Amino acid sequence: MAHAVTPSSDTNSGPTPVAYEQALTKYEPVLGLETHIELGTASKMFCSCSTKFGAEPNSQVCPVCLAFPGSLPVVNAKAVESAIRLGLALNCSVAPWGRFARKNYFYPDMPKNYQISQHDEPICVDGHLDVSVDTPEGLREYRVEIERVHMEEDTGKSTHVGGSTGRIHGASHSNVDYNRAGIPLLEIVTKPITGTGEYAPLVARAYAAELRDLARSLGISDVRMEEGSMRCDVNVSIHQRGTSEWGTRSETKNVNSLRSIERAVSSEVERQAGVLDAGHSVVQETRHFQEHLGRSTSGRSKEEAQDYRYFPDPDLVPVAPSTEWVEELRAGLPELPAAKRARVKAEWELNDTELRDLINADAIDLVEATVAEGAPSGEARKLWLNELSRRATEQEIELRALAITPAQVARVIALVDEGTLTNKLARQVVEGVLAGEGGPDEVVEARGLKVVSDDGALGSMVDEAITSNPDAAEKVRGGKVAAAGALVGAVMKASRGQADAGRARELILEKLGVS
């Protein structure tokens, strides 16, 4: 299957992994996903420092997020609102009362030596998210149960210098950037996901994709996984088919792409199956996914529960959203991704395959925005899914990260529809826009890409094509009109693809006396 990873030796775990399909004949996987979403608020969770990404290290800090003595945190109201809106979109119940706690542990990049989080009183509980998985038997629906959504703050970021892997082992020293310390986070924790069988990796990926789209539709986060604003801890255990007792789980930390989430599940099933088949026991541990290997490596053992010594944060008042506020937020929810998919499928008259292609390319919003700028839906879909998807793949970025806007795409389509550009010339215009040469009209002007439709200029090129291709011309005169294609091709070559092919063909037939 597409999600299976070729078995290979894992130096951290010993036994050779078992091929995914083989592992599934004997074992059943159980999943659990803990997803962190970085909120797109202007300021941090408990202070007024900026959350802008990419600033100079340690330039967005203050006494509160650096935990100076005597500094007092204040809850970001927008973050609370975002948490409630996401909880409502996930069909959760919103708690009428809750509070923040201190989660005590030491990391060099955590200035307080504790994290402010929610412990036994999360803001949202008991929800669900329905996802669809494309299987050989057609689309299959799975319901992922949500245990909780809670608010917390992020830690800083450590950069390990001097080693070959970027990890602390082998590094000569480490730098710490506290800009991210205090960034508002929502953690979404699923209940155990069972019954997925061979489709477990695809269900995990589909859930993460749906959660990403949900957060994006709510406008609470840019959920750019490559920048860390959405990351997932993937918990996997396997147990023998026909038994009710679940196996020991591993936790693969901070997986930051949809593809890696899928591969983390399948590779971990393979690894654990190899461990069990060799007669060993799976160790409860954290693991780190290695993109270049397509599998995880061992982190630290978690055989015994970590004692975080939670206790209520004495500096923060409880969070008690009123019923009226919650219902006001519920009424203001936008169209959610599942509803949007159903609507555009009907409006654009799509079949299941066409809709699936849009979903897989994460292109629905882009196409819809292009249609809103006046482009026909069919042409907008074609340009985004073909030429633009190809260029995004070449650049190894998401489609929406391309340096072209839906308005610019709509303008390219309009230039083709009005006859100013051919499809071939349109691709050159797209290339120019992506290269930063300006908007479509500016690129057309600067590169001289307009279609040549003037009879005077075309006539000269047609005369030359007829003179240079006497055999084809004679066939046309003899009634073989299809032979005109060779002459049109010669005109297009001479014009570097800029001739109006339809008008060139008309002139060829006129000059050769064919009505």
Side-chain angles (χ1 to χ4, degrees), residues 308-323:
Y308 291 116
R309 294 177 290 114
Y310 282 103
F311 64 87
D313 193 304
D315 294 333
L316 289 165
V317 298
V319 177
S322 67
T323 301

Side-chain angles (χ1 to χ4, degrees), residues 26-30 237-247:
K26 187 175 180 181
Y27 300 104
E28 180 75 20
V30 177
S237 72
I238 61 174
H239 60 278
Q240 284 201 346
R241 289 184 175 275
T243 63
S244 58
E245 184 177 350
W246 293 347

Side-chain angles (χ1 to χ4, degrees), residues 454-484:
D454 174 72
D455 280 1
L458 277 179
S460 298
M461 287 185 277
V462 166
D463 290 339
E464 177 61 28
I466 291 172
T467 301
S468 302
N469 299 273
D471 291 343
E474 194 57 37
K475 288 178 181 179
V476 175
R477 287 192 185 98
K480 294 183 178 180
V481 178

Side-chain angles (χ1 to χ4, degrees), residues 63-84:
V64 174
C65 55
L66 289 179
F68 283 14
S71 61
L72 293 174
V74 177
V75 176
N76 186 325
K78 189 67 176 180
V80 177
E81 177 185 306
S82 297
I84 294 172

